[in-house]
Amino acid sequence: MPGHTENAITIAAPLDLVWEMTNDLENWPQLFSEYASVEILSREGNSTTFRLTMHPDDNGKVWSWVSERTADREALSVRARRVETGPFEHMDIHWTYAPNKTGTTMHWTQDFAMKPQAPVDDQGMTDHINRNSRIQLELIRDKIEQRARELRGAVPAN
C-alpha cells in the first residue's frame, strides 16, 4: 500500500517571510539539517529542477536525487516530485501555507511508494518521514521565527 504522510506546523512569522525562506532553494542547506547541498539545474517560470544531496547517513551513505518543484504564490501552494526516484517508485510532495492569528501554518503532504528492492518498505518510510518531518519542521520554525524577531528589531536607516 503506498505511503502517505501529513505534517504541519504553525510559525509565528508573517506569511511573506515563511514563503520567502522556505522557497529559497539555494538556502535549504542552512534551513534543513539533513541537506548538505542544493544544485539548481534549471528554472522555467515558477518551476525549478534541482539536485539535493544529503549529509551521510549512519552507514556513511550519501543520498542524492533530482526533484522538480513548482511554486504557486497566488494559491499558497508548492508541488514537487522526484525526477530521479532512487528507492522510490514515486515521491510527490505538496506544501501549503495559510496565514492565521499567530502567524503562518505550513503543511506538508507526501505521497509515495517504495520500490520492492528498497532498503525499507512503505510503512517503514512512512514512519521515517513522519519522525523526520517533525524534526525538520521544528528547525524551520525556529529559524524563521528567529529571522522574524531580527527583522522586527531592525531600525530603519534615516
Side-chain angles (χ1 to χ4, degrees):
M1 174 179 253
H4 174 85
T5 65
E6 293 198 34
N7 290 278
I9 197 160
T10 296
I11 302 169
L15 172 65
D16 288 342
L17 181 62
V18 175
W19 179 270
E20 177 186 316
M21 288 183 70
T22 59
N23 286 290
D24 177 5
L25 298 179
E26 290 88 346
N27 194 49
W28 274 13
Q30 287 72 51
L31 194 62
F32 292 82
S33 64
E34 61 191 341
Y35 300 142
S37 67
V38 176
E39 177 188 1
I40 304 301
L41 303 174
S42 68
R43 280 197 162 98
E44 188 173 325
N46 293 330
S47 294
T48 305
T49 302
F50 58 100
R51 174 172 295 284
L52 274 176
T53 302
M54 298 182 77
H55 294 289
D57 66 16
D58 292 340
N59 299 318
K61 178 154 178 59
V62 174
W63 297 91
S64 181
W65 64 90
V66 172
S67 288
E68 181 182 75
R69 182 176 167 86
T70 302
D72 183 341
R73 178 66 170 89
E74 191 172 304
L76 301 176
S77 172
V78 178
R79 294 204 177 267
R81 68 179 184 87
R82 282 193 181 201
V83 176
E84 290 180 2
T85 58
F88 294 90
E89 286 182 11
H90 68 89
M91 166 60 90
D92 300 303
I93 306 170
H94 185 209
W95 297 39
T96 59
Y97 302 77
N100 59 51
K101 292 178 186 175
T102 61
T104 304
T105 299
M106 184 170 64
H107 185 263
W108 293 347
T109 303
Q110 293 174 274
D111 290 297
F112 59 91
M114 303 307 295
K115 291 179 179 173
Q117 68 272 25
V120 63
D121 63 11
D122 292 340
Q123 186 57 55
M125 183 54 72
T126 298
D127 295 342
H128 171 75
I129 288 172
N130 279 326
R131 276 191 311 274
N132 191 55
S133 290
R134 283 189 277 285
I135 292 166
Q136 297 305 313
L137 284 166
E138 289 173 3
L139 284 170
I140 290 167
R141 177 200 60 209
D142 293 348
K143 290 175 182 179
I144 294 173
E145 288 179 354
Q146 174 61 37
R147 182 68 182 134
R149 284 190 297 276
E150 291 167 0
L151 290 171
R152 281 194 303 270
V155 178
N158 290 341

